[in-house]
Amino acid sequence: MKVITRSIAVVAALLPGLVAAQTAPAPAPPTADDEYVETEPTSTEQGQTPLDQAFGPRDRATWIRETRRKAWQDTKWDVQARTFYLDRDKYDDSQSTAWALGGSVGLKTGYFRDRFALAATGYTSQRLYGPDDKDGTLLLAPGQEGYTVLGEAYGEVLLNDDTRLKLGRFGIDSPYINRNDARMTPNTFQALALQGLYGGENGAPEWRVGAGYFDKIKERNSDEFVNMAKDAGAPAWVKRGVYTLGANYKKGNFSGGAIYYHSNDIIGIFYTEGKYGIPLGDNWKLSLAAQYTDQDSAGDNLLRGADFSSRQWGGKAELGWKGALFTTGYTRASGGTNMQNPWSGYPGFTSVQVEDFNRNGEGAWLMRASYAFESVKGLSLYALYVDGSDPDSPTEYAKDEYNLNAQWAIAEGALKGLMMRVRYSHVKQKDPLSGDLDDIRLLVYYDPPSL
């Protein structure tokens, strides 16, 4: 109860700002870029990137709009304010707590001579509350310190309407290298990336392709870019980047693809994913999905000093009815070592708010129900339960996780652009001491629609 009591106090502190915001002039209507107004229910967790949403914007209309701007007159500003409170009571009865305020300011020019654009984004996260002895929320830098960083600064070349080349520091989304934007600021990367989006109009097949080289990463609670090998856990003297190549095909209700990541002497990761939707009537739809990851040590084994391998497979079924979505899924990890997500969020179907359920020998079942209200646009709820088994390690134990989530992305009126979200997780660890974990998160994001 103590974590819930503290959270109520924080909500009370936020309310005056929300009431004041109601008196502001009504902003302009939202565009297709509005991130937090979902048009249909989804079971994708915050920070994850499905393969069919990799390599670019979520839809082709946004892609085309981004590639038809005129230099300075079409420069687009992107401003977002965030406040985030996180309180976690951990298995060992220690605590991580912080409340941060910050956000981002960015711009992207149109295309000079219809070919070349420039972009930059600055991020900040500053402490409102954060005892020094309760570090570890990842809302602030280590030591509960605030930070400000130029997270993006890049050039983009439009090779044609369907193909872009980026060079510099920027955010990108794919299953194992992505923004993992589930705290105050996202991961960004120093990289060279080629992205393509072909077809997809008027019922035509859609191809998404991506290739690149990633040299450095700025973790989500850091103001420094570090080498990808160091971030993965290799010794500080090791300098290795990551090469990646992938593609996804979508036609009608089918989507499938694969991507490979390779870091010399560090790790190789192969990931594949497929989805198929089955319409069952005017309001019913069944969707089936499968995924598989294979991870192996590479070259001189500089990550752990020895060979390792691991793999995980999973399946998921979803039944949608109007605004409701019912999901069940299963994953199983094996191969000798725990699965790794060295650079970003983990794409497993049973990876949820706290646990990834990807330890060697661990199997996990997921059950999830969500509902998007028709009467209050932008208001949605979900609850889920994951039942994990004992992993192979004799010093690790089975865990179960329960999540509750409520979100309101206001779609109209004076508060258009405001998103409020409450997330709660309880994890029960079945060790001899029966240790539990409680995690509560309060998020308020504001995207001024007029910019």
Side-chain angles (χ1 to χ4, degrees), residues 384-437:
L384 66 82
Y385 167 65
V386 181
D387 180 15
S389 70
D390 284 312
D392 287 348
S393 171
T395 61
E396 296 182 292
Y397 305 93
K399 297 177 181 178
D400 296 340
E401 180 167 350
Y402 306 80
N403 290 179
L404 295 173
N405 183 97
Q407 176 174 308
W408 188 21
I410 301 176
E412 55 190 12
L415 293 179
K416 187 184 301 180
L418 184 69
M419 189 279 286
M420 297 174 287
R421 188 175 190 183
V422 180
R423 307 187 74 191
Y424 173 71
S425 174
H426 175 77
V427 186
K428 183 174 182 60
Q429 182 171 247
K430 301 175 184 177
D431 64 0
L433 300 178
S434 298
D436 293 348
L437 179 149

Side-chain angles (χ1 to χ4, degrees), residues 148-203:
T148 300
V149 58
L150 183 63
E152 293 191 309
Y154 66 91
E156 181 174 284
V157 179
L158 187 62
L159 302 181
N160 55 50
D161 279 351
D162 300 318
T163 313
R164 307 175 184 175
L165 182 68
K166 286 185 177 181
L167 175 64
R169 293 179 169 180
F170 50 87
I172 197 167
D173 288 311
S174 72
Y176 277 93
I177 290 182
N178 56 61
R179 291 178 175 88
N180 195 14
D181 194 8
R183 291 294 194 275
M184 283 295 291
T185 64
N187 295 335
T188 56
F189 305 87
Q190 181 171 293
L192 171 67
L194 181 72
Q195 300 168 281
L197 177 58
Y198 309 100
E201 294 182 306
N202 302 319

